[in-house]
Amino acid sequence: MAAARGEVMPLSPIIFAALAGFQASAGHTIGCTRSFSPMRAGYVSRLPRDLRSRAEDAERPQQSEDAPGERVDPVTYVFGRPGELEEDLGRLGTSPRRVFLGTAGATALALGANFGGITDTLLSTKPDSARSLRLDSLYSVAGLRGYYTSNYAIRFPSTWLFDQSIAQAQAYRREVQSRRARPSSLQDYDGFGDDASLRGVIPDAAFGPPKGGKYENLSVVKQSVGRVASIDALLGDPEKALRRLLGTSIAPEGSGKSAEIISAKRRADDVFAFEYILSLPNGMKVHTWSLAALQNPGAAAAVAARAGLPFDGSAQLFTMTLVAPEGNRSDLKPEIVDGILSGFRLL
């Protein structure tokens, strides 16, 4: 019997191995929770409830929070549904009002400071509107700046600067005239006011490149011409007036200068427009544009009254002159020249 016991395999290991093989073929593992199934004899393995729910969620397709087929407009896509933007900004410690005020302030600062030339660019899209508001006196509009006085308005290249020597000469002349009106004030200034420059014509305004340029500038000269009613009565025919001016003042005979007339005409606004090329003794050629407009005594009296200045009854002749070396006009492209010439007018 002892030998028989050693040769026969115990029954319990055989049953356990058979059950293990059955569970493996069913896709379960040993050690899972077991429960009795009334449908068939034996044990059935089941996953724990929490693990089973996680597996089902992982296998289930993900769905969007929005209902299937729901269309979201761009505003909702960016700012969210009502209340979501305020809630999100609140988490950041701010509000839509603060964001709006900050953005508006930064925009106003950038425009006022012309950051990156943004103001110049915006105003250049509507040049007529900008010039009607005289914004071109602060910013560049289509490459030009504006200069306004009580008598006239002109335009000059935005890269040019006002000639400070003209302002100094004008201040010096006013000081001399003021002291001459009070002779006692000259006792301590021997020879004050005897400068020969006071006897010449000082431009009312002048502009030029930053580095200076003797043959590249823009100037306006104001002269009293007596009781003259019109520019025709003063100058006569435009072409004859230009020839007379060239022959007597600009390029007289024996001066070594010569002039080639390009055009001489009268504009619709009663402005005489001259264009010519002046050849200098050193061989340089200077292209010149000149505009002349007369402010009759009535208009001159009105301007003087607004400014609170005395008036002697004389008409005022304003002459704008633009000069540039022929063939070397980097700052004076054709559209810039046209803008300068069309911008000169009496106010």
Side-chain angles (χ1 to χ4, degrees):
M1 292 296 295
R5 290 176 183 172
E7 295 175 357
V8 179
M9 181 178 294
L11 181 60
S12 57
I14 297 176
I15 296 175
F16 182 80
L19 290 175
F22 172 76
Q23 291 179 357
S25 63
H28 302 295
T29 58
I30 301 299
C32 294
T33 304
R34 294 174 292 175
S35 63
F36 181 80
S37 174
M39 301 298 297
R40 63 174 182 263
Y43 288 90
V44 177
S45 175
R46 293 182 179 178
L47 291 171
R49 184 177 299 276
D50 57 341
L51 295 178
R52 194 165 60 248
S53 62
R54 293 179 185 177
E56 292 174 354
D57 292 341
E59 295 175 358
R60 185 182 301 115
Q62 297 293 330
Q63 296 181 355
S64 173
E65 294 181 357
D66 299 325
E70 181 181 356
R71 300 180 65 86
V72 179
D73 60 276
V75 176
T76 303
Y77 181 82
V78 175
F79 298 102
R81 293 184 173 83
E84 289 184 349
L85 178 61
E86 290 80 358
E87 183 180 350
D88 293 339
L89 292 176
R91 294 192 182 98
L92 298 175
T94 185
S95 65
R97 180 174 178 273
R98 291 181 179 179
V99 173
F100 172 76
L101 292 178
T103 303
T107 302
L109 182 62
L111 291 174
N114 194 24
F115 181 75
I118 183 174
T119 309
D120 294 346
T121 303
L122 290 176
L123 294 179
S124 297
T125 60
K126 297 289 184 180
D128 294 337
S129 300
R131 287 165 180 158
S132 64
L133 298 174
R134 297 191 177 183
L135 294 177
D136 57 339
S137 62
L138 301 174
Y139 306 101
S140 172
V141 177
L144 294 170
R145 292 277 304 276
Y147 180 76
Y148 300 88
T149 71
S150 58
N151 295 291
Y152 60 88
I154 61 172
R155 300 173 192 161
F156 61 94
S158 58
T159 56
W160 287 14
L161 302 175
F162 187 86
D163 191 344
Q164 296 299 323
S165 64
I166 300 300
Q168 295 173 1
Q170 292 174 347
Y172 182 59
R173 171 172 286 184
R174 287 193 296 267
E175 180 69 13
V176 170
Q177 293 173 347
S178 175
R179 293 188 177 184
R180 283 177 177 173
R182 297 176 287 111
S184 60
S185 64
L186 295 177
Q187 293 177 0
D188 299 331
Y189 298 90
D190 186 24
F192 184 85
D194 293 337
D195 194 332
S197 63
L198 296 176
R199 295 188 291 271
V201 177
I202 299 178
D204 192 70
F207 305 85
K211 295 182 179 180
K214 182 178 180 181
Y215 303 110
E216 189 173 18
N217 58 75
L218 171 67
S219 63
V220 178
V221 174
K222 174 184 175 182
Q223 295 173 289
S224 296
V225 291
R227 298 180 179 273
V228 182
S230 66
I231 193 170
D232 296 290
L234 178 65
L235 299 179
D237 179 73
E239 185 172 355
K240 291 181 179 179
L242 177 57
R243 292 186 181 278
R244 183 169 59 251
L245 179 65
L246 293 174
T248 58
S249 301
I250 298 177
E253 186 177 355
S255 64
K257 303 176 184 177
S258 62
E260 174 188 353
I261 297 178
I262 297 178
S263 66
K265 59 185 179 180
R266 174 180 175 176
R267 299 194 325 194
D269 55 354
D270 294 333
V271 174
F272 279 24
F274 304 137
E275 182 179 0
Y276 56 91
I277 297 177
L278 181 65
S279 298
L280 303 178
N282 59 6
M284 176 174 289
K285 293 185 176 182
V286 180
H287 203 127
T288 305
W289 298 264
S290 185
L291 302 177
L294 183 74
Q295 188 180 66
N296 59 49
V303 172
R306 288 198 302 266
L309 300 175
F311 177 64
D312 60 0
S314 298
Q316 304 295 317
L317 179 66
F318 293 89
T319 305
M320 187 204 79
T321 303
L322 173 66
V323 297
E326 179 66 12
N328 184 20
R329 302 179 306 192
S330 57
D331 293 337
L332 295 176
K333 297 179 181 179
E335 60 272 17
I336 296 295
V337 173
D338 292 342
I340 294 173
L341 299 179
S342 62
F344 174 72
R345 69 183 190 278
L346 297 183
L347 301 178

